[in-house]
Amino acid sequence: LSTTSEGQHSHSTNNHIENYNAAEEGDQRSTTSEEHNSQSKNAPRHVLLNNTAPKSNQHALANQQPATIDTTHRQAYKIGTKVSKMFHDDALGRTRPFSGSVQEYDPKRNLYMIVYEDGDAEELYDREVGEILFNKNKKNKKRKEHASSSKHKNVAQLKGTLSYSEQDGARRHVIKGKWTYEDSAPQSFELFRDLTADEDLKVLPMSGIYNGSFVYEYESTRSNLKMSDVIKERNVNITFYQKEDNQHSFSVKANGTNQFGLFKLSGTAKKKETEGCGDPVSYTVRLQKKYIKSNSPTPAPAAFQKEIEDAINGKNSTSQTAHNDGNGLLPPPSKMFPTGVISLRGKLNKSRWRGSGDKNFIQTVEGLWAPSLQTILADSKNTNGLCGTFRYELMYIEDTIQDSPSCPRSGSFRGWFTMHGKKIQEQDISIKFLDNSEGHYNIEGEGSNIFGQYKITGTLSADGVVTLFRHYYR
């Protein structure tokens, strides 16, 4: 289509052909790069990419094709088929996709009339229509997105805020936010640096040694339950490099370690705009995390499942008894499992049972449980809500001959634990307290709940802290 001096479209095909022939006379329908640039600048509304002529000229070329019928050719695209093609938009000053559709098909010339969103039109052959199909463009876009995402394969993405904090006497610089890996759900992370007395709290950013942790969620292969662990990170050496062209933008480089290996961090820190001069300074931090000595960029379930499977099979648990080892020696304390085994940690208490006689007692063990002991120790007050609660209790009549106020009572307990706000009852809980070589107690037992039968191992310390590990049978 061409444009008149008043800026309106002219729909006269003959005018298009005459104008085109006049412009191309003597050039045998070819132009130099200089002439092509001149056409592009003087195009009525858009210019086709890939060094092609304006739409109006393409339309004219189409009308000059010989009017012969190809009896072997069939219409490949239905009327209404959607297309999308890149043209220059003078109003925006850039190229953009223009949507359109097939409006007519000419079987004599095997040409499709394409009408675009702004009313312009052109005629194209099968192959040309196939190159601009709307769905094809979407697929190409997905391919590009996939290619882009492949650059970040095996890399965790961290996005958060760098700010300062002064709470409970602790002066800190804190990087806090969410991390993701491929299509995983966002999970929390935090890195902090304790400042010395002579360091200015409000000066950001500041290079140095940071410590912290991140939350890792995974699914138990046995029970299909989602579990969470808090993974501690130590000695994360972060350096901020100010960019030459922007005093409020920094490159970030770091390295650190956690239980999964050594890792590197790289990214940027950009100062956030503040509304008032008194607003606290903070920076938007975007980082990529890649492990140096690990096949997995982030904690993988397999890192935990090996320990879980071994624990289920009894390979990791100690089977201690009150009997000596044949040499008159008591067994050492039971093995501890920092990760990979469901853990319970609480206090043992004895008290008289209300409304009963002086010899009626109740012994309780209550506290927190989590997928790993490390999670409990990292958040002993459960401020992050990653732990559940539990309670075991045993009612008994004190025997002055056998019982001592300082000795725990073995027996059949009843109990429960909470999960997602619901209380789950436990059955057939049998717990034994057995002397160990440290002068304290090892714990053995078994029980069951809706997830299956399990055995119990653990310890009771001198200060009454009970640490239990629950090993499910297959």
Side-chain angles (χ1 to χ4, degrees):
L1 299 178
S2 63
T3 304
T4 66
S5 58
E6 290 79 15
Q8 301 296 324
H9 288 293
S10 169
H11 297 275
S12 172
T13 303
N14 293 331
N15 288 341
H16 287 315
I17 298 175
E18 292 173 2
N19 291 339
Y20 179 78
N21 289 335
E24 301 296 324
E25 186 176 0
D27 293 331
Q28 297 180 353
R29 296 170 63 183
S30 64
T31 62
T32 64
S33 60
E34 181 179 353
E35 289 170 328
H36 174 73
N37 291 337
S38 177
Q39 288 179 354
S40 299
K41 293 176 182 177
N42 298 324
R45 214 181 229 190
H46 333 290
V47 176
L48 291 175
L49 299 182
N50 303 323
N51 295 328
T52 59
K55 286 194 213 173
S56 58
N57 292 351
Q58 287 198 349
H59 192 154
L61 283 172
N63 285 333
Q64 288 184 337
Q65 300 300 324
T68 58
I69 299 176
D70 183 357
T71 58
T72 64
H73 190 85
R74 292 184 180 182
Q75 182 177 349
Y77 302 105
K78 297 179 180 180
I79 303 301
T81 299
K82 294 181 178 180
V83 299
S84 179
K85 192 171 182 178
M86 297 294 290
F87 292 101
H88 189 274
D89 190 328
D90 288 344
L92 298 178
R94 60 177 175 81
T95 57
R96 71 173 180 87
F98 280 74
S99 60
S101 62
V102 175
Q103 295 296 311
E104 296 178 18
Y105 174 68
D106 187 345
K108 293 181 179 181
R109 295 177 295 134
N110 302 326
L111 284 169
Y112 297 83
M113 174 65 75
I114 310 296
V115 179
Y116 294 95
E117 62 185 72
D118 62 344
D120 279 2
E122 65 178 343
E123 289 184 319
L124 301 175
Y125 292 102
D126 274 354
R127 178 182 58 79
E128 296 172 309
V129 175
E131 290 175 351
I132 62 171
L133 287 177
F134 179 72
N135 287 336
K136 181 176 180 179
N137 287 345
K138 289 179 69 176
K139 290 178 181 178
N140 289 339
K141 182 179 179 182
K142 287 183 178 179
R143 290 193 191 102
K144 290 180 181 179
E145 289 175 349
H146 177 74
S148 176
S149 64
S150 66
K151 295 179 182 179
H152 303 302
K153 191 175 181 181
N154 295 334
V155 176
Q157 308 292 324
L158 292 77
K159 181 181 178 181
T161 299
L162 168 62
S163 59
Y164 57 82
S165 171
E166 191 171 17
Q167 294 181 350
D168 301 327
R171 302 168 65 253
R172 289 179 171 177
H173 286 175
V174 181
I175 304 173
K176 192 172 185 179
K178 299 288 184 180
W179 72 272
T180 58
Y181 172 63
E182 292 184 347
D183 57 351
S184 68
Q187 301 172 67
S188 300
F189 80 91
E190 182 180 43
L191 294 168
F192 63 87
R193 178 178 181 270
D194 290 315
L195 303 185
T196 61
D198 58 341
E199 289 179 314
D200 191 340
L201 177 68
K202 298 183 180 181
V203 173
L204 290 174
M206 194 179 292
S207 302
I209 302 298
Y210 287 69
N211 295 302
S213 62
F214 64 91
V215 176
Y216 173 62
E217 294 181 355
Y218 63 98
E219 190 171 281
S220 169
T221 57
R222 186 181 187 281
S223 60
N224 292 325
L225 291 175
K226 285 188 176 181
M227 300 183 174
S228 299
D229 270 309
V230 176
I231 310 300
K232 290 184 178 180
E233 300 193 298
R234 301 288 187 185
N235 300 320
V236 183
N237 189 359
I238 301 179
T239 305
F240 296 91
Y241 301 93
Q242 186 173 3
K243 295 185 177 181
E244 295 181 358
D245 58 341
N246 190 341
Q247 62 177 342
H248 301 307
S249 184
F250 295 79
S251 296
V252 184
K253 300 290 183 182
N255 56 74
T257 184
N258 56 39
Q259 68 186 70
F260 302 104
L262 300 173
F263 60 84
K264 286 186 176 181
L265 295 171
S266 61
T268 61
K270 295 182 179 180
K271 187 177 181 180
K272 291 185 176 181
E273 294 184 3
T274 56
E275 296 181 358
C277 59
D279 293 339
V281 176
S282 62
Y283 284 76
T284 298
V285 177
R286 297 177 184 269
L287 301 171
Q288 292 184 350
K289 183 179 191 179
K290 188 169 186 178
Y291 281 79
I292 304 171
K293 294 185 178 180
S294 174
N295 292 328
S296 300
T298 59
F304 293 133
Q305 294 307 320
K306 181 63 168 60
E307 287 189 35
I308 293 174
E309 297 298 329
D310 288 346
I312 290 174
N313 293 327
K315 294 180 182 179
N316 279 351
S317 61
T318 55
S319 180
Q320 309 286 10
T321 66
H323 302 290
N324 60 47
D325 60 4
N327 297 320
L329 300 176
L330 292 171
S334 295
K335 182 177 179 178
M336 305 294 277
F337 301 89
T339 63
V341 180
I342 293 175
S343 307
L344 301 84
R345 187 174 175 87
K347 291 282 289 186
L348 184 145
N349 291 293
K350 286 184 179 181
S351 61
R352 284 186 170 83
W353 191 12
R354 278 186 289 175
S356 302
D358 292 342
K359 294 185 178 181
N360 295 329
F361 282 81
I362 181 171
Q363 179 177 274
T364 61
V365 180
E366 55 186 331
L368 299 175
W369 78 272
S372 73
L373 178 60
Q374 182 171 276
T375 299
I376 301 174
L377 297 177
D379 190 14
S380 59
K381 295 183 179 179
N382 200 25
T383 55
N384 294 323
L386 298 176
C387 303
T389 58
F390 80 94
R391 178 183 170 93
Y392 291 160
E393 58 183 37
L394 170 67
M395 296 179 184
Y396 65 96
I397 298 175
E398 186 178 60
D399 186 334
T400 54
I401 298 176
Q402 295 183 357
D403 292 317
S404 169
S406 60
C407 294
R409 179 76 176 240
S410 301
S412 296
F413 288 69
R414 63 182 183 182
W416 50 261
F417 65 94
T418 60
M419 177 180 287
H420 306 310
K422 294 183 178 181
K423 185 180 288 188
I424 298 176
Q425 297 294 328
E426 308 233 49
Q427 296 85 34
D428 306 320
I429 307 171
S430 176
I431 296 178
K432 294 180 181 179
F433 294 89
L434 310 170
D435 295 325
N436 64 30
S437 59
E438 297 296 320
H440 309 312
Y441 296 90
N442 290 340
I443 299 175
E444 286 186 355
E446 58 185 4
S448 65
N449 54 41
I450 60 174
F451 303 111
Q453 292 183 318
Y454 57 84
K455 66 178 178 181
I456 299 170
T457 63
T459 60
L460 169 63
S461 64
D463 57 356
V465 175
V466 175
T467 303
L468 301 175
F469 301 99
R470 186 183 292 171
H471 312 280
Y472 281 93
Y473 295 102
R474 288 189 181 277

